[in-house]
Amino acid sequence: MFEKLKENKQLWLNSLSIFIVGVGLLFIYFILKNVGLITEEIHTFILLIRPVIIAFGIAYVLNRPMIFVEKKLKGISRKLFKKEITSGVSRSITILFLFLLVVGAIYVLFNSIIPPIIKNLRLLLESLPMFQDSMSYYINELGPYVQSFITQQQIDQISSFVTNLLSSAGTYALQLGTGVITNVTGFAISALTTIILSIYFLKDKEVLIDSLNKGAEVLLSEKVLSRVKQLLRDLDTVFGGFLIAQLIAALLAGICSTIILLLIGHPFAILVGLVTGVANVIPYIGPILGAILGSVLGLFSSLHLAILSLILLTIYQQLDANVIQPKLLSSSVGLNPVWVLIAILIGGHYLGMVGMIVSIPSAALAQIYLTRRYHRLKEKQQI
């Protein structure tokens, strides 16, 4: 048989192909048969390295502020002492300053924001049994016109749906918040591990990048490595700018929504502001969710408050969607506000909420590569 294989090259290639396909099918069968075990192992591994992933995320977010503060610190040193402090000293002072800010923010969160939110959630759960009666009362108050196109049965169905939804969400959020507070020891250990890793990532980022670069030089060719580095630089430029812009936009949405609702005496102002800020990562949809939630929760107090909340938050939503977000995102990712809006519309149409989130950095990355290709073609006089 081996002699035939040597004589007939085609037979050898066919045999090799059959062998590879067979091994591949066996591999697929093994994966399908043990998919539960493999999924469990992957989940366990992710839980194991979760502090590393979170630490990397924190370090990535703080990297740009660190560079900014470090430059300012060196500039101040040159002006005051006529001498620039060493990179090691400036890096250590900058990291200490940033983490004091982070610890201060966490302290404010746990002492000034979480307790009112938990109070809001408890008030919401206590008020839910009265929601159905309130809805019926408000419909009757609006008069025969409204009653002509919505029946009492429909009112009861809507009230029941909203009550169950708010009850489930409120109970889950309350359990999550109180769980974090009661499990202080485990949370503190995990947080401490993450903070230490973040500090090392920031302090030794050049050393870590150099180690990764050496490993990549061994595994990849020079041409491939060059392209990978360029891609990573582009991703950092686009995604980093997008992330910072989204954080600023979310913070503004949360604070502004809370202030608006506090000014009109909304009992759930802080809770609605938090939801609006978190949901604001979804362009357009986030502020709308905040406006709807503010209106629904306003019904627990009065119909007037619900309508006023809806009007004011909708006005802010329009300002946020058409002015604030396009301006922030266009400045951070280098896209014209018109292209930002178009990218969001296309991404949302084809991929829903996920598409709306990833559409802007994807469009910015596409713009970078198209611009480079245009300049290359122009240099070669092909266009």
Side-chain angles (χ1 to χ4, degrees):
M1 181 179 177
F2 287 106
E3 292 298 325
K4 288 183 179 180
L5 287 175
K6 289 179 182 178
E7 293 173 2
N8 194 333
K9 188 177 180 182
Q10 187 61 43
L11 181 62
W12 162 251
L13 291 174
N14 290 339
S15 302
L16 183 62
S17 300
I18 293 169
F19 175 75
I20 292 171
V21 171
V23 171
L25 290 173
L26 286 172
F27 182 70
I28 293 170
Y29 172 76
F30 174 79
I31 290 176
L32 292 175
K33 188 179 179 181
N34 299 279
V35 66
L37 179 62
I38 293 169
T39 304
E40 187 179 342
E41 289 298 322
I42 292 171
H43 179 68
T44 304
F45 178 73
I46 290 172
L47 287 176
L48 181 66
I49 65 167
R50 185 169 58 181
V52 179
I53 297 171
I54 297 172
F56 177 79
I58 293 172
Y60 183 77
V61 171
L62 292 179
N63 181 54
R64 293 191 180 200
M66 182 186 74
I67 294 170
F68 175 79
V69 174
E70 203 170 353
K71 285 181 179 177
K72 291 293 181 183
L73 193 62
K74 287 182 177 180
I76 292 170
S77 173
R78 283 194 299 268
K79 287 180 181 179
L80 293 179
F81 306 109
K82 308 299 180 184
K83 183 182 178 182
E84 188 176 288
I85 57 176
T86 62
S87 297
V89 174
S90 64
R91 176 68 56 86
S92 299
I93 295 173
T94 302
I95 291 173
L96 178 63
F97 171 73
L98 289 175
F99 274 93
L100 284 175
L101 285 179
V102 171
V103 170
I106 293 171
Y107 177 82
V108 171
L109 181 70
F110 273 91
N111 286 275
S112 304
I113 298 176
I114 288 182
I117 289 173
I118 292 176
K119 186 178 178 181
N120 273 191
L121 288 169
R122 284 178 176 156
L123 176 63
L124 172 64
L125 294 175
E126 290 168 3
S127 306
L128 281 176
M130 301 180 292
F131 183 71
Q132 189 165 334
D133 294 335
S134 300
M135 283 283 289
S136 300
Y137 173 76
Y138 294 139
I139 293 297
N140 292 328
E141 283 286 301
L142 290 172
Y145 175 73
V146 176
Q147 294 171 9
S148 65
F149 65 84
I150 183 168
T151 64
Q152 184 61 45
Q153 184 181 1
Q154 290 172 327
I155 294 170
D156 293 341
Q157 288 175 345
I158 294 169
S159 303
S160 177
F161 172 76
V162 174
T163 302
N164 292 333
L165 181 64
L166 291 175
S167 177
S168 301
T171 303
Y172 175 76
L174 190 60
Q175 289 173 348
L176 185 65
T178 52
V180 169
I181 293 172
T182 52
N183 297 312
V184 175
T185 305
F187 177 77
I189 293 171
S190 178
L192 184 63
T193 304
T194 304
I195 288 171
I196 291 171
L197 284 169
S198 302
I199 291 171
Y200 275 111
F201 281 145
L202 287 170
K203 184 177 179 297
D204 300 326
K205 68 170 188 175
E206 288 84 5
V207 176
L208 293 171
I209 291 172
D210 184 59
S211 299
L212 290 172
N213 185 55
K214 288 177 179 176
E217 285 177 351
V218 173
L219 297 172
L220 304 174
S221 66
E222 187 177 344
K223 187 177 180 179
V224 173
L225 181 59
S226 175
R227 289 182 177 178
V228 169
K229 285 182 179 179
Q230 186 60 58
L231 176 62
L232 291 175
R233 281 193 291 267
D234 293 335
L235 286 172
D236 176 58
T237 301
V238 172
F239 183 74
F242 174 75
L243 182 64
I244 291 172
Q246 282 291 77
L247 289 174
I248 294 171
L251 191 62
L252 280 174
I255 292 172
C256 291
S257 300
T258 302
I259 292 172
I260 289 169
L261 295 180
L262 284 174
L263 289 174
I264 62 174
H266 199 295
F268 301 101
I270 297 177
L271 178 61
V272 175
L274 175 68
V275 172
T276 304
V278 172
N280 203 69
V281 297
I282 308 168
Y284 289 103
I285 301 297
I288 292 174
L289 289 176
I292 294 172
L293 181 64
S295 178
V296 171
L297 296 184
L299 288 171
F300 287 94
S301 296
S302 69
L303 181 61
H304 173 265
L305 183 63
I307 294 172
L308 186 59
S309 300
L310 181 63
I311 292 171
L312 293 176
L313 290 179
T314 300
I315 292 171
Y316 175 76
Q317 183 270 329
Q318 293 299 314
L319 180 67
D320 180 82
N322 296 290
V323 179
I324 296 174
Q325 284 210 37
K327 184 64 179 174
L328 279 172
L329 293 172
S330 64
S331 300
S332 62
V333 299
L335 277 176
N336 186 281
V338 174
W339 293 118
V340 170
L341 293 173
I342 292 172
I344 290 171
L345 290 172
I346 295 173
H349 176 75
Y350 287 103
L351 296 173
M353 291 185 182
V354 175
M356 296 178 81
I357 294 171
V358 303
S359 61
I360 300 168
S362 299
L365 201 60
Q367 178 182 259
I368 289 173
Y369 283 98
L370 287 172
T371 303
R372 283 186 190 149
R373 178 162 178 77
Y374 171 80
H375 288 301
R376 281 199 300 269
L377 292 173
K378 198 164 186 179
E379 285 175 5
K380 296 176 181 178
Q381 298 183 343
Q382 293 181 2
I383 55 173

